[in-house]
Amino acid sequence: MTQPMTIGECVAAGARQLSAAGIVDARREARLILAHALGVEPVAVSGYPERPVPDPEAFERLIARRARREPLSHLTGQREFWSLTLETGPATLDPRPDSESLVEAALGVVPDRTAPLSVLDLGTGTGCLLLAVLSELPRAAGLGIDVSPAALAVARRNAERVGMASRTRFEPGDWGRRLDGQFDLILCNPPYIPTGEIAELQPEVADFEPRIALDGGADGLDAYRVVVPDIMRLLAAGGAAVLEFGAGQGAAVTQIVTAEGLVIDRMTRDLAGHERCATIRKR
Ligand SMILES: C[S@@+](CC[C@H](N)C(=O)[O-])C[C@H]1O[C@@H](n2cnc3c(N)ncnc32)[C@H](O)[C@@H]1O
């Protein structure tokens, strides 16, 4: 990049570099990256193209990382989910807008939002699902489980960040294997990409997101075979579990769920209209 002197020149040069790297929304991303580098709100960048950028080096380094297809959220260290601003990074799956349909489905089965419910989140990652659900259930408390200690550290910081540390615990575990007790609401978004399809994903995902958050085994369904029996054991009578799955996996997940003696109450679609999660109950 040549030495840009103004905000407008920085954005234009950054956008050219990102566009050449195959990034579709290059100009918008260049603006967000510049705002992050300068420590200002994005509006301060879009509204004042003539302002000088005395030292564009930090911006240039971030643009170079993004041009290597590192996710924007890894550059900024955060991502919005259900109107919560959460820390994310290399140890965690980036919360996806599609997963908000799981949050909606979970809240949809709660008849009384002021009840003191117990919520379990298996494979919590950033803690996004648990924290989003708890943000709407003021008297509920939650336990997030993950096999990754680094993800658990992020989830704990996120709980602090959104003021929910006193209502949450995050513990290491292999799905629900060593847990006992009964939970009113169980959330789970397990890894569900078939191993052979991971390399075909966008580089932001395939090269930068944790493999353990993506890889669902040969058919993408390995985790469901473990988690569904855990749900059967840990779900309180009258409670519900909401399980996310990949596009086209609804029938296979239904089979695993019903073979365990559980019933599917409802399928919820994501923003693109794909079946995205199953609400499960005991018979
Ligand atoms: C698809 S990510 C979902 C993360 C988060 N719940 C979300 O919706 O963004 C799956 C998560 O499951 C965790 N995981 C993978 N294998 C696990 C296991 N055996 N036991 C517990 N968690 C596991 C991963 O570390 C990852 O955080």
Side-chain angles (χ1 to χ4, degrees):
M1 199 187 294
T2 53
Q3 288 286 306
M5 298 301 294
T6 65
I7 281 179
E9 286 165 344
C10 275
V11 169
R16 276 196 301 278
Q17 211 175 324
L18 297 186
S19 187
I23 289 163
V24 180
D25 211 356
R27 203 171 171 82
R28 186 185 68 89
E29 288 209 16
R31 275 200 298 265
L32 292 174
I33 292 168
L34 182 58
H36 176 69
L38 297 176
V40 298
E41 292 297 318
V43 67
V45 164
S46 39
Y48 304 94
E50 72 293 347
R51 283 200 180 156
V53 178
D55 178 12
E57 250 182 55
F59 170 68
E60 289 172 354
R61 276 196 303 273
L62 290 170
I63 286 287
R65 285 172 61 188
R66 184 69 188 103
R68 289 193 291 274
R69 303 297 292 265
E70 192 170 340
L72 182 60
S73 60
H74 288 195
L75 272 45
T76 61
Q78 63 184 37
R79 174 100 180 215
E80 300 289 320
F81 185 79
W82 199 263
S83 80
L84 303 173
T85 303
L86 299 177
E87 175 186 334
T88 186
T92 52
L93 187 91
D94 247 20
R96 306 289 203 269
D98 281 339
S99 298
E100 294 191 344
S101 57
L102 187 155
V103 176
E104 274 167 21
L107 294 171
V109 298
V110 175
D112 173 8
R113 292 197 179 187
T114 62
L117 301 175
S118 58
V119 186
L120 172 65
D121 180 17
L122 294 172
T124 196
T126 53
C128 60
L129 302 176
L130 182 61
L131 296 171
V133 165
L134 292 187
S135 73
E136 307 289 343
L137 305 176
R139 294 184 61 217
L143 171 62
I145 298 289
D146 208 288
V147 76
S148 157
L152 288 167
V154 173
R156 287 188 192 107
R157 285 197 292 274
N158 277 329
E160 287 280 352
R161 183 177 189 152
V162 299
M164 283 188 246
S166 63
R167 292 200 281 144
T168 49
R169 281 185 301 133
F170 293 95
E171 290 180 4
D174 182 9
W175 302 124
R177 215 159 261 168
R178 289 203 313 272
L179 289 178
D180 34 49
Q182 299 276 280
F183 296 86
D184 302 304
L185 199 50
I186 301 180
L187 319 171
C188 183
N189 175 19
Y192 52 65
I193 313 291
T195 308
E197 293 177 19
I198 292 176
E200 296 158 24
L201 299 174
Q202 292 286 313
E204 284 85 348
V205 181
D207 298 342
F208 291 96
E209 296 213 89
R211 181 96 183 184
I212 200 162
L214 301 173
D215 193 345
D219 63 357
L221 300 168
D222 279 1
Y224 299 89
R225 297 189 183 95
V226 180
V227 158
V228 170
D230 286 344
I231 289 174
M232 180 66 178
R233 193 168 47 80
L234 297 168
L235 190 59
V242 191
L243 190 54
E244 180 167 331
F245 51 81
Q249 292 176 330
V253 169
T254 300
Q255 214 171 19
I256 295 171
V257 167
T258 51
E260 195 56 38
L262 291 156
V263 289
I264 301 220
D265 214 30
R266 191 170 163 220
M267 287 288 190
T268 303
R269 292 181 184 273
D270 63 21
L271 302 167
H274 300 118
E275 277 186 341
R276 180 60 60 183
C277 53
T279 302
I280 299 168
R281 289 187 189 273
K282 284 188 168 167
R283 252 182 235 288

